[in-house]
Amino acid sequence: MPRPLPDPTPPSRASIREALRHTEHFDPGTSERVFRLSMTDIGEQVFLPPLCERLQRVAPQTQLEVRQVLVAQVEEALRLGQLDFAIGNLPVSGR
């Protein structure tokens, strides 16, 4: 006899809510969104300062959360919503 599927776990519900939240209109002047990005140490030195300066001017309430993710894991982290974007010398997916 087939067993019923278990209810989604709270993290799954949270992931769905998070994905839906990002479909809302983005107003940089009022947004409090946390953008999660991955970049290398060099990327942090080169790209992060001007990016932070620009965000402070146009979206002062947003935040950046920088993570160093292994190159082999970046695509999956983006797909799963663990990252919003990645900056660096990354392989291009064949998909």
Side-chain angles (χ1 to χ4, degrees):
M1 171 179 251
R3 290 184 278 159
L5 294 174
D7 287 338
T9 60
S12 296
R13 289 185 193 140
S15 297
I16 291 168
R17 277 194 298 274
E18 182 72 9
L20 292 174
R21 186 176 74 82
H22 294 305
T23 63
E24 299 169 5
H25 175 73
F26 177 73
D27 178 2
T30 60
S31 177
E32 295 180 351
R33 181 166 176 200
V34 176
F35 291 97
R36 298 160 303 185
L37 65 119
S38 176
M39 60 176 59
T40 62
D41 290 340
I42 299 293
E44 287 183 20
Q45 292 175 2
V46 174
F47 299 112
L48 200 53
L51 181 59
C52 287
E53 288 176 24
R54 176 70 180 209
L55 276 175
Q56 183 61 39
R57 280 197 314 272
V58 299
Q61 297 177 57
T62 61
Q63 296 179 36
L64 288 179
E65 182 179 294
V66 180
R67 301 176 181 175
Q68 289 192 353
V69 177
L70 296 174
V71 171
Q73 297 173 347
V74 167
E75 185 175 359
E76 182 175 7
L78 288 164
R79 184 178 54 78
L80 294 174
Q82 296 168 346
L83 291 175
D84 296 303
F85 55 99
I87 299 173
N89 185 13
L90 303 168
V92 177
S93 174
R95 292 183 221 162

